[in-house]
Structures are given as structure tokens and as C-alpha cells.
Amino acid sequence: MNRRRNVPSSAKSDSHQQIYTSLNTKPKNVSTQLSPFHWLAFICVIIGLFIFAHLCHIHLPKPLEPNYDNSQFSEIRITPILHALSNLGPKPFGASGADRAVEMLQDEVRALKKIVDKGKNKLDIEMQYPSSCFSVPKFDVDGFGMCYKNVSNLIVRLTPKQKLPTKTKDEGALLLNCHFDSWPTSPAGSDDLASCVILLELIHILGDPNAPPLKHDLIFLFNGAEEAGLLASHGFITQHNERHRIKGFVNLEASGSGGREILFQSGPFSQWMLDAYLNAAPYPHCSVIGQEVFQSGIVPSDTDFRIFRDHGKISGLDFAFAQNAYWWHTEFDEARRITKGSIQRAGENVLATLRYLLSQDSFAAADNTKSSIFVFFDFLGITTISYSYVTAWIFNVIAAVAVFITIKRRKTDFDTYKSVSKKYFGAKLLWLTKHSAVFSLMVIPVAYLSFAGFSFIINYSNDLQKSIPFAWSFFDIHNIIFLIILWIITSLKSASGFLFFVMLIPTIFDAIIRTISPSSSQTFSPSHHAYLILPTFLPGILTIYYMLEVTLSTFIPILGRSKGDTDFLVLIISIYSIFSTMFSIIPLLAFTNKKGLHYMRIIGFVITVIFLLDTVIFVKPYRYNDEYPTTRRTQFYHVRNRLITQNSTLIEEYQQLLAIAQDNRKVYDIPFVGSDAEFKEINCDGKGRYCNLPFFFPTPDRLGKNMIRAKRIQDDSLDFYEAKIELKSKVLDNHGRLRYEFLFKGSDQMSVIYEHPETAKSIGWRLINSPSKEFVSNSSFIFLSCGGENCGEWNIEIIFENMEKSESIEVMVSSHTLHGPKMYSNTLKKMHENIRKNREKGDWKWAMTASSWTVDLLKQSF
């Protein structure tokens, strides 16, 4: 059976012959149009690229047993320790669970010491219990101040027994950090016990009796108060005797549970440790975009990296497990759920990086204050790409030259043929510049591409004199837009412009070919673009698909931590991924026959319908099952509220249940909140910036209007550590400043907020018994945290200018109970039980997890 070829009409044949005639006027007797089979092949390639990017993203090495000479990292050896630590349950700072965790870590380190001391290195163990205060300059809109007492640090030093002969001076040490404390309701399997057992395994390997003596010292910090505000790392880097010897650090964190750990922050003072990672890591996974996003504050989280950077003035690497982030800070962050191979992968990467650094005779590179690496990212987890700011500008210039050359060459080709208007290409270029610039910069290029692209296909598919210049004009104007965005981003010193540069690499390649071997067929035949240029899009498209996979799998679960800041980021990268794919084949649309266009419309319609049905009907936002729970985060406070006047008169006292949604679906999607008319919207008029609410950290700007509801209740089982405020003195000093001295009492985790008259100016506050006489902060939010028995007492002085003694301030203290028998009232216990029972029935609205505790809130005028 013979298949009939698609033969164009005589009119079209004349037009084809005119356009596809070479310079010696000999017609080309070849088919010039693309059939449905060409587009089917293209679609198959795209699907294959998506699958390949996905497989690269989820690939993890196999967990290994220890080898015969104990030189390879072994996830299997440390897994039992991790499970034992995780099974202790929640372990917030100050809780008995945290005490048991540090005792278990001490036992493990003591056992390692017996092994290490048999060899050429030695292990020293120390407990540190620092106390101090410090200011956080930026947190939401305002900064705030923190004070802490008796945080727990387990410090382990791995050093050679004898200094090497070539070592004429102290070259310093490297610091490796993890934290063993947890969010109040989380077992902390991944955040951050997995990191702590990685450090134990590194000690085991590098301190093996058969291992060579270290060239440089290693300090392992197991800190016990990260979740309480990065307190323990601050206590170490500002007070410990070894702090001045540290040249660089590796911080191991988690914002998810397993998967591939990502290097998302580095530097900032020098890039010597980043160089080591890029050169040594066997499974690199890093992104400068992650660094820029995290440091911009879009992700409402922080790590000890900031403490070592700001207070230690040292450079380092910040790693985090970022996958399965639905479990972050929830009851589901158990060791049993961590993806097998995750710890093996992270351990091998850190071990290889350490060995690279320890092989250096000197740490002189650590003192280089000039950061050289501007862009860095991994390509499919296979290799890494990095270059400097100067190199980025060189690439930008090359891209600009390439765009100019290709446009000029195409215009010359169009000027060659009488059948194509010389002005048409330029006119369309100007028209598209005006329209596509507006749409593209408004981040809706897909909608515009669909409108403009299919418009010219429908209108001009029978007129190659118009459709071909239209297609190339459309392609070139978006090259120009990419170039403009690239230059703007680079001039702002943002490294994320590489995502636009990779889409200009084919144009650079095209410009080289058109310069070396120019031919009109490069414009008037689909072969040049389809077979030479289109393949050069593959690395860029793969990079973008890979970035899309990483972004969606990371940020969609993280959306539950904010009121929607990351939505825009996810939207941009998703749209850009689709647009990049369509952009690469724009010129080929003009060479597609009617049958091909018809099938493309059908495929596009089917894909759109499937997407809408999948999104609107079949996909539920949350789902609960024990193996892989994707639940929403909620938070509940059972609060006793008291309002007391300046003369100590109790105005009002009542109990309140606060329901807080930590995702974008708002609070009324919580079943027992939306259906209960007693839960009311909170009116913040006249209640100051913090609305008389018991904030744990100062995050009012992250709490949208529809993310919180309140209900008055009465539960006699409510118990707490009572919040108290005692005014010790109120004096006007010789400088005309009004000084308040307060004694605050409450739990081991307290927040203090004060509000003063608008005419007054806050000079700052400080601990009265602190050795330092300097003010901690002039912020109106104070966070107080302590460990040990009966620790919740603080003497604080607050000073104001331009304030009369007859004027008053309002002070609010929230005493949070984050652990122990007073943490839950009967109301909270019943609520948790209700959630557990209902989520197992399969209703997605009940697929939720709750963090909750009791609070005593006192507001008083002085």
C-alpha cells in the first residue's frame, strides 16, 4: 500500500520555489514542510528530557556497609543511632528529650574516643553552657533582640597527636555544625539528627586508628538550641576559646526529610570552601538561585550559617535536605521516613570536601576577602558549572554580539528575494518589540506566545512570504528580550541570569555558523534550525527542566510556611520552563504543513483539558497516609489573656484558642474552625503592631488577615508557667532619659513586647546583670530563652528619650510552654485526637498536622 505524499498546490509550489531557490537559481527538489511525524518526534524528545531530569533529581546512591579499612562513608552503620535519637520524640531546648539526646551523643563520642586514641589522632570532648544576648538586625520588617542562658553545646575536637614537622604555625581549624534540638512537636529525624549522625560517622572515618594524622584540626559542634533562635551557635562562635582558630565551617541543616542535600549558601568572604566542594563532591547539587532566594528572605527560615557569617566573620558551606518538606517541623519528621541513600549521599559529599580541604598544606585561601565565584550550579547532579562576575559580563557581551549577527544575517537573506518584502521583516520586528516586550515582562509569555504564534500560523500558513519572516521576527524579538533581562539581572549583581543565558547559547552557535559559512538556506529551510540549532537547545532546556523539578519539589511543600511569597517564584519558573520549550521551536512553526498544525491543535487541546481536570478535579491539595503524608501545617495556642492597668487593676481575663493556618488555603479550611461560628476574625485596631497576640518570633507580616481566628473558651485544665512583670524602678536620669527596670518571670521561652508613645524614642534595652553594658537592641521585641530549673527570670533595663516620667508604656509578656506536662490542656489534647481520627478517613480537609502549646499572656501599663 502506497502512502500519498502531501503535494502543495501550484500556487504554493511557485512560492516555495522562489523562496527555496539557492543563489544559483537551481530549485531544491526536497520537501520543505514539517509533518506530524516531525512534531511527534519532538514531543517524544521533550517527554524524554522531562523524565531524564526527574530521574537525575531523585537519584540516590545505595547505602553502604563499612569497608575493610574504614575509609568509606557508611549510612548503614549510623542508621541505628539515628533511629534511637529520633525515637526519643520531640526535644526542644530545655526539654528532657533534648537532655537525653545529648547524653546519647556523648556516649557515642566517648565510644569513638576509645577507638580514635589508638591511632595517630586524638579526640577531645567538652560541654559548653554559654549565656549571652545579641541582636537580629533584619527579621520581617523590624529586627529584634535575644537573650539566652545555659544553652548546651557538645564540642568534639579531632586533632593530630603530634604536629606535623612542616607546620611552623597554627593554620587553624575547620568547624562542622549540626543541632540536636527540635521544633517543639517534631522528633527531628531529618532536622537535624540526620546531620548529627553524619558528623559521628565522619569522626569514625577520619579518626580511624589506621588513618593518617590530620594536617588541620577539625571541630565538631553538636549544638542544642538552633530551633530556639540559633542560640547555641552564637554561644560557641562568640565565647568559645577555639573560635578564633576557625578558618571555615560546614553547616548541615534540613528543611525537608531526606532526598538530595543541596548546597544553597556559601561564602561570603571568600570562596575557597566552595571551590573545594565544586572540585571534590562526587554527587554535586548546588544552586546560586537557592542562595539568592534564601538570603532574600522569601523563605521564612534561617540557619546557623548566618550566625557563623555575621558573628564569626568566616566563610562556609550551608547544606540542607530539602525534599519531602511536608514533614519539616511536624510529627512526621521521623528517621524511618528519610529516603534511603540520602545520608549516604550527603556523607560522601561532605567527606570528599573535607579530605580536599585537609590535603592543603595551608589555609591561606581562607583569608582571601575577594569572592571570585559569581554563578554556580550543578548540571543534573553530574557536574558543576561556575564562573566569576567578569566572566558573566563576557558571556553577556558574546550573547549580544550573537543576537546582532543573527538578526543582521536574516535581514540580508530576506533582502535577497523579491518575493519577500524587504520591509516586512523589519516591520514585524518593530511590531513584535512593542507587543511582546509588554507581555513578556509581565511574566505571561506563554499566553502571548499562544496568541501570537498560533495567530500567524492560522492567518499566514498559506503565505510563506509572511509566515517565515513573522516566525523569525518572533524568535528574534524574544532573543532580544532574553538579552535585555540578562543584562539587567547581571547589572543588579544577581547570578540567576544564567537561566536566560543558557537559552541564548543556540543563538551564539547559530551566529558562529552564519559567520563562517553563510547560506540563505539557514533562514529559508527548516533543516538548519531543526538539525543543527535545535540540538544546542537541549543543555539549556535540560537545565531549566532540572531547575523546575528542584524548585517545585522544594517550594510547593514550603508554601505552608508563608502567606504566599513563594507562589510567584514557582509561577515564574514553571511558566519559563514551558515558554523555553515553545521558544526553541518558534521558527519551525512556519514550516509546518496544515496536517501538522491540525494535530498540534488537537494535542494542545487534549493536554490543556488533562491539566485542568487533573488540577481542578482529581488533585487534592493534601493527602494523609502513614507512608507518605502530605499534610497541611496548622498551629494552635491555648492562651490565658490578662490586661492590667498602670495601677495594677485587672481589667479583663479570659481564655482563648487561637487557630493559625500556615499555608495559603487560609484558616477557614480547617474543618472545625470554618464550621464553628464562635471562631471570630481578630480585630487589630488600636492593638499595636503585634495585635496583642503571643508571637513566638516577631512575624506579624507573615500572618495574613485570613490566616488566624480566635475563639473564647473555658478549660479548667489549662496550666502554664505564669507570666509576671515587676517594675523595679522608673527614673529620669541626668541626661533626661527615662529608665525602666523590669523583672520578667515566666517559662523557659518568653517573648516581651513594649510599646511607647509616638513622641518618645527607644534608646534600647539590656540585661542588668550582663557583663556587657552595651544595649542589645532598640527593637520593641525581646526573645528570652533559658535552660535548667527555674530559669525564667530576667532583669531588663529599657531606656527612652523625649519621654516624660508621667507618660507610660505598655508591656506584653508571653510565657510559652513548649514541653512537659503543662504543654497541652484538655482542649488541645482532644483537638489532636480529633485530627488523628479524622485524617485517617481520607478527607483531604482533615489531612493536617498541628503544632500547639499553652501560653500565658500578660499586658500591663507602666
Side-chain angles (χ1 to χ4, degrees):
M1 179 176 176
N2 294 327
R3 181 167 59 88
R4 185 178 179 180
R5 293 192 303 170
N6 183 24
V7 181
S9 65
S10 59
K12 288 180 64 176
S13 298
D14 294 340
S15 178
H16 281 199
Q17 186 171 345
Q18 289 175 343
I19 293 179
Y20 297 111
T21 300
S22 61
L23 292 178
N24 60 10
T25 69
K26 293 181 181 180
K28 296 183 178 181
N29 298 317
V30 296
S31 174
T32 58
Q33 291 188 323
L34 302 178
S35 70
F37 296 100
H38 293 95
W39 289 105
L40 180 61
F42 177 75
I43 291 172
C44 290
V45 170
I46 292 301
I47 294 174
L49 293 177
F50 263 117
I51 294 173
F52 183 63
H54 174 70
L55 293 176
C56 289
H57 176 58
I58 65 173
H59 175 71
L60 293 170
K62 181 181 178 181
L64 298 177
E65 294 275 4
N67 60 347
Y68 74 96
D69 61 352
N70 197 32
S71 61
Q72 75 179 14
F73 191 93
S74 172
E75 176 181 324
I76 293 176
R77 174 164 53 192
I78 55 178
T79 296
I81 308 169
L82 173 59
H83 282 262
L85 288 166
S86 175
N87 292 340
L88 293 174
K91 44 194 77 66
F93 168 51
S96 59
D99 295 336
R100 292 196 298 272
V102 74
E103 289 170 2
M104 288 182 63
L105 288 170
Q106 286 177 305
D107 290 341
E108 292 295 329
V109 173
R110 292 190 188 104
L112 286 173
K113 177 175 173 59
K114 294 178 181 179
I115 299 173
V116 172
D117 288 352
K118 295 178 182 179
K120 300 175 183 178
N121 298 297
K122 63 178 180 177
L123 206 63
D124 296 319
I125 307 170
E126 176 190 355
M127 285 299 300
Q128 181 198 26
Y129 301 97
S131 302
S132 186
C133 297
F134 65 101
S135 175
V136 181
K138 291 183 179 180
F139 198 90
D140 273 7
V141 177
D142 299 330
F144 70 106
M146 310 178 72
C147 287
Y148 59 91
K149 299 176 185 175
N150 301 323
V151 299
S152 301
N153 279 330
L154 171 59
I155 301 164
V156 181
R157 290 183 295 274
L158 182 61
T159 60
K161 287 182 177 178
Q162 295 182 346
K163 298 296 182 182
L164 296 178
T166 57
K167 202 170 186 181
T168 58
K169 64 177 182 178
D170 182 11
E171 288 289 350
L174 293 175
L175 172 68
L176 291 95
N177 176 71
C178 73
H179 68 88
F180 60 82
D181 68 314
S182 75
W183 180 251
T185 55
S186 172
S190 186
D191 183 19
D192 191 35
L193 295 176
S195 299
C196 289
V197 298
I198 287 175
L199 297 196
L200 291 176
E201 179 68 1
L202 293 175
I203 295 172
H204 205 156
I205 294 172
L206 296 174
D208 186 81
N210 296 318
L214 299 176
K215 286 186 177 182
H216 306 283
D217 298 347
L218 293 177
I219 299 175
F220 299 85
L221 173 61
F222 302 82
N223 86 65
E226 191 270 351
E227 301 291 1
L230 317 179
L231 307 178
S233 56
H234 179 271
F236 173 82
I237 206 64
T238 60
Q239 299 178 50
H240 197 271
N241 293 333
E242 296 278 358
R243 66 188 185 276
H244 297 301
R245 299 185 57 239
I246 296 172
K247 297 295 185 179
F249 68 91
V250 174
N251 184 53
L252 299 178
E253 256 294 352
S255 59
S257 182
R260 298 186 305 149
E261 90 292 344
I262 182 171
L263 172 63
F264 65 102
Q265 291 189 99
S266 68
F269 306 106
S270 63
Q271 301 288 356
W272 69 298
M273 295 195 70
L274 177 58
D275 283 331
Y277 174 82
L278 296 176
N279 289 324
Y283 309 107
H285 184 31
C286 55
S287 174
V288 70
I289 293 181
Q291 175 170 289
E292 292 187 343
V293 169
F294 195 86
Q295 294 182 356
S296 71
I298 290 178
V299 178
S301 186
D302 209 346
T303 74
D304 289 317
F305 180 94
R306 177 177 61 80
I307 297 296
F308 298 135
R309 177 195 68 196
D310 295 351
H311 296 273
K313 304 301 180 185
I314 51 179
S315 292
L317 304 175
D318 203 7
F319 295 94
F321 294 112
Q323 299 304 301
N324 309 316
Y326 288 103
W327 309 335
W328 177 84
H329 281 194
T330 74
E331 63 196 282
F332 304 119
D333 186 13
E334 299 174 288
R336 66 186 178 95
R337 288 194 175 89
I338 298 176
T339 315
K340 286 181 172 58
S342 302
I343 296 174
Q344 183 70 39
R345 186 185 187 284
E348 289 187 30
N349 279 336
V350 175
L351 178 60
T353 303
L354 280 180
R355 281 174 168 161
Y356 185 93
L357 291 167
L358 292 172
S359 67
Q360 300 177 13
D361 292 330
S362 171
F363 281 167
D367 299 323
N368 177 15
T369 57
K370 295 182 180 180
S371 299
S372 57
I373 297 176
F374 178 62
V375 175
F376 64 90
F377 60 95
D378 71 286
F379 180 68
L380 305 175
I382 300 171
T383 187
T384 57
I385 298 172
S386 62
Y387 49 88
S388 67
Y389 187 63
V390 173
T391 304
W393 274 114
I394 293 174
F395 287 165
N396 291 2
V397 172
I398 293 173
V401 172
V403 170
F404 172 79
I405 290 173
T406 53
I407 292 176
K408 186 176 184 300
R409 286 300 312 167
R410 274 191 277 272
K411 186 177 184 304
T412 301
D413 290 341
F414 282 116
D415 289 346
T416 304
Y417 296 97
K418 297 180 180 180
S419 58
V420 178
S421 172
K422 296 181 179 181
K423 297 181 179 180
Y424 190 83
F425 178 72
K428 281 300 174 187
L429 201 61
L430 293 174
W431 184 87
L432 285 167
T433 301
K434 181 177 68 174
H435 289 78
S436 61
V438 173
F439 283 96
S440 296
L441 295 178
M442 289 176 64
V443 201
I444 51 173
V446 174
Y448 176 67
L449 180 63
S450 301
F451 170 76
F454 281 99
S455 291
F456 89 73
I457 291 172
I458 294 171
N459 295 330
Y460 304 126
S461 58
N462 292 326
D463 188 351
L464 295 179
Q465 298 181 40
K466 293 184 177 181
S467 63
I468 292 178
F470 195 110
W472 282 118
S473 300
F474 195 83
F475 182 81
D476 286 333
I477 192 56
H478 281 86
N479 263 335
I480 294 172
I481 292 173
F482 283 158
L483 187 64
I484 292 172
I485 296 175
L486 173 62
W487 277 61
I488 291 174
I489 290 177
T490 309
S491 64
L492 295 174
K493 293 192 174 180
S494 171
S496 56
F498 77 88
L499 284 177
F500 294 90
F501 176 74
V502 295
M503 294 306 298
L504 291 171
I505 291 176
T507 298
I508 297 174
F509 184 69
D510 190 19
I512 294 173
I513 295 177
R514 289 174 182 269
T515 301
I516 296 175
S517 179
S519 170
S520 60
S521 64
Q522 294 162 351
T523 299
F524 296 117
S525 169
S527 300
H528 172 73
H529 190 82
Y531 301 122
L532 290 180
I533 305 305
L534 199 57
T536 64
F537 275 99
L538 296 184
I541 290 177
L542 260 177
T543 299
I544 292 168
Y545 288 173
Y546 179 70
M547 195 67 63
L548 173 68
E549 174 84 13
V550 172
T551 301
L552 295 184
S553 62
T554 301
F555 284 107
I556 285 180
I558 289 178
L559 290 179
R561 306 188 209 177
S562 67
K563 64 177 183 180
D565 302 272
T566 47
D567 281 346
F568 188 63
L569 175 68
V570 171
L571 177 66
I572 287 179
I573 295 184
S574 299
I575 288 180
Y576 184 62
S577 301
I578 300 171
F579 174 67
S580 299
T581 304
M582 299 182 72
F583 165 74
S584 65
I585 50 91
I586 287 174
L588 300 182
L589 296 175
F591 299 98
T592 304
N593 61 29
K594 285 186 175 182
K595 191 175 181 180
L597 296 176
H598 176 67
Y599 281 111
M600 285 178 64
R601 293 189 189 99
I602 294 176
I603 292 173
F605 177 76
V606 170
I607 292 175
T608 302
V609 171
I610 292 175
F611 176 79
L612 292 175
L613 289 175
D614 190 48
T615 303
V616 178
I617 299 176
F618 300 116
V619 173
K620 302 300 181 184
Y622 301 103
R623 184 178 292 108
Y624 172 78
N625 60 65
D626 183 67
E627 182 179 354
Y628 196 89
T630 56
T631 57
R632 70 183 304 185
R633 296 183 188 88
T634 58
Q635 197 162 359
F636 298 89
Y637 292 157
H638 188 173
V639 188
R640 181 183 75 162
N641 292 267
R642 287 176 295 156
L643 181 60
I644 300 177
T645 64
Q646 192 168 356
N647 57 6
S648 301
T649 302
L650 179 63
I651 298 177
E652 189 176 19
E653 179 177 345
Y654 59 92
Q655 292 182 26
Q656 193 176 38
L657 182 64
L658 296 178
I660 303 171
Q662 294 184 306
D663 67 349
N664 300 323
R665 298 195 63 89
K666 314 305 180 187
V667 73
Y668 35 73
D669 252 2
I670 301 174
F672 55 87
V673 175
S675 61
D676 190 343
E678 293 186 26
F679 276 100
K680 305 291 185 182
E681 184 176 330
I682 292 178
N683 181 11
C684 291
D685 293 342
K687 296 181 181 178
R689 174 172 171 76
Y690 295 95
C691 194
N692 290 357
L693 294 174
F695 283 93
F696 189 60
F697 286 125
T699 55
D701 294 335
R702 294 178 185 166
L703 200 60
K705 180 179 179 181
N706 293 318
M707 296 180 71
I708 183 169
R709 292 288 186 272
K711 175 184 178 181
R712 293 213 177 185
I713 61 173
Q714 183 60 42
D715 184 350
D716 294 336
S717 72
L718 176 63
D719 198 4
F720 40 71
Y721 294 94
E722 185 175 7
K724 296 181 180 180
I725 309 173
E726 294 181 18
L727 178 61
K728 294 294 186 179
S729 66
K730 178 182 179 181
V731 297
L732 197 64
D733 66 15
N734 297 331
H735 301 285
R737 299 183 297 184
L738 189 61
R739 294 176 175 267
Y740 283 88
E741 181 182 338
F742 291 104
L743 173 61
F744 297 111
K745 295 182 179 180
S747 67
D748 54 9
Q749 307 281 324
M750 300 166 58
S751 56
V752 177
I753 299 169
Y754 61 86
E755 297 180 2
H756 53 78
E758 291 184 1
T759 56
K761 178 184 178 182
S762 175
I763 299 300
W765 62 269
R766 65 180 182 89
L767 274 183
I768 291 178
N769 297 325
S770 173
S772 173
K773 299 300 180 182
E774 297 180 358
F775 293 111
V776 176
S777 171
N778 64 355
S779 170
S780 60
F781 193 101
I782 306 171
F783 183 77
L784 305 170
S785 186
C786 60
E789 296 293 329
N790 303 318
C791 68
E793 295 189 6
W794 303 83
N795 286 285
I796 290 180
E797 181 183 45
I798 309 174
I799 303 178
F800 299 94
E801 279 186 345
N802 303 326
M803 186 170 172
E804 300 293 335
K805 192 173 182 180
S806 59
E807 294 181 295
S808 64
I809 64 172
E810 289 186 335
V811 182
M812 185 173 72
V813 177
S814 299
S815 175
H816 298 263
T817 304
L818 304 181
H819 56 86
K822 297 182 179 182
M823 182 176 180
Y824 298 120
S825 64
N826 286 340
T827 297
L828 295 178
K829 290 177 182 178
K830 291 178 181 177
M831 181 198 67
H832 280 272
E833 183 63 26
N834 193 29
I835 292 173
R836 279 192 291 269
K837 287 181 178 179
N838 282 281
R839 71 188 180 193
E840 293 176 357
K841 297 178 181 179
D843 186 350
W844 69 266
K845 291 185 178 181
W846 282 96
M848 56 190 290
T849 180
S851 295
S852 59
W853 55 79
T854 59
V855 186
D856 188 34
L857 186 150
L858 171 62
K859 186 172 184 179
Q860 191 168 352
S861 298
F862 296 95

